[in-house]
Amino acid sequence: AQSVTQPDIHITVSEGASLELRCNYSYGATPYLFWYVQSPGQGLQLLLKYFSGDTLVQGIKGFEAEFKRSQSSFNLRKPSVHWSDAAEYFCAGANFGNEKLTFGTGTRLTIIP
Amino acid sequence: DVKVTQSSRYLVKRTGEKVFLECVQDMDHENMFWYRQDPGLGLRLIYFSYDVKMKEKGDIPEGYSVSREKKERFSLILESASTNQTSMYLCASSPLSGSSYNEQFFGPGTRLTVL
């Protein structure tokens, strides 16, 4: 079955430190992959997406993600986090032609001064 | 700018009440979705609509129904609310796949409490 897994429920990092959030997928073919962010009390906002081509994808707010087929991963990174990055982050995937996304369970990010 | 709106941010209802959650999008998208979001479970798809009057069950449709009479509006209905339906409900829309690769746009959510 198609699935997206986020192994980390909660991550705490210091402001200014680097960040990596993990996402693993299980699809028969290369899926479309997305990272969304949800600030407290808000809906989801798209950070970045991968469809094909360059495996390093740049997104908004200084985030990037790297698609690694050999590891079935699509990890989200940021070189230096800001307090405003505290939020919940969701990885999602879909097959081409499938209108529905499958979401991971989310990773909550806490930033400490 | 892309916009998905939901009729209420917060809603409190009693067990057994009929509840309507409304979602409107102004992007002329074909697809609309209803999810519920619970801690530790992520987003789970309740229902999906790919056209007016068309609907498809998602992963957790039990206890819910939907209505899509106009392209821009997608309603989620709880026929008889129960306490285990207390949750955050998120609406989303997207164009048909192939034109925008399934990117979904989300509303702000409705936090429903059933007492």
Side-chain angles (χ1 to χ4, degrees):
Chain A
Q2 299 163 351
S3 67
V4 174
T5 304
Q6 294 180 250
D8 303 306
I9 297 172
H10 184 205
I11 284 183
T12 299
V13 300
S14 299
E15 190 167 15
S18 64
L19 171 70
E20 183 167 26
L21 302 182
R22 296 185 291 165
C23 173
N24 295 102
Y25 66 88
S26 175
Y27 282 81
T30 299
Y32 297 138
L33 294 165
F34 305 81
W35 275 100
Y36 283 86
V37 62
Q38 183 182 34
S39 298
Q42 303 298 314
L44 275 68
Q45 180 185 21
L46 183 69
L47 282 176
L48 47 79
K49 55 194 176 188
Y50 172 76
F51 301 140
S52 64
D54 193 347
T55 56
L56 187 61
V57 180
Q58 301 297 321
I60 63 171
K61 304 185 180 189
F63 285 91
E64 66 179 25
E66 187 170 12
F67 173 73
K68 292 186 177 180
R69 186 191 305 276
S70 61
Q71 298 177 20
S72 298
S73 69
F74 187 57
N75 295 348
L76 183 71
R77 302 194 296 242
K78 187 170 185 179
S80 176
V81 297
H82 185 261
W83 63 266
S84 60
D85 293 324
E88 187 143 25
Y89 292 79
F90 292 93
C91 184
N95 282 326
F96 178 74
N98 187 341
E99 310 293 341
K100 294 179 280 188
L101 287 176
T102 298
F103 283 86
T105 51
T107 298
R108 184 160 62 91
L109 176 64
T110 297
I111 309 293
I112 55 176
Chain B
D1 203 15
V2 165
K3 195 109 179 174
V4 178
T5 57
Q6 296 183 227
S7 51
S8 305
R9 294 299 303 272
Y10 300 93
L11 207 54
V12 180
K13 296 292 181 180
R14 296 201 175 276
T15 301
E17 279 192 84
K18 191 169 186 176
V19 181
F20 293 87
L21 303 183
E22 305 284 341
C23 175
V24 177
Q25 51 97 1
D26 65 359
M27 297 161 283
D28 202 36
H29 285 168
E30 287 76 15
N31 299 326
M32 295 188 76
F33 306 83
W34 275 108
Y35 295 91
R36 66 175 282 174
Q37 181 182 9
D38 300 288
L41 298 177
L43 276 71
R44 294 179 291 167
L45 182 65
I46 304 172
Y47 267 98
F48 156 54
S49 170
Y50 50 91
D51 201 352
V52 175
K53 297 189 187 294
M54 305 303 287
K55 62 185 179 185
E56 188 175 308
K57 291 181 180 178
D59 301 318
I60 51 165
E62 296 79 19
Y64 303 94
S65 62
V66 291
S67 172
R68 193 165 180 202
E69 297 295 320
K70 294 185 177 181
K71 189 176 185 180
E72 68 271 16
R73 188 179 298 269
F74 190 36
S75 302
L76 180 69
I77 303 156
L78 288 65
E79 294 289 341
S80 178
S82 63
T83 55
N84 62 14
Q85 293 178 308
T86 292
S87 186
M88 170 72 94
Y89 291 87
L90 292 167
C91 176
S93 73
S94 72
L96 281 175
S97 68
S99 61
S100 177
Y101 303 99
N102 311 99
E103 178 178 347
Q104 294 185 15
F105 298 86
F106 283 81
T110 295
R111 184 164 295 282
L112 172 67
T113 301
V114 182
L115 302 175

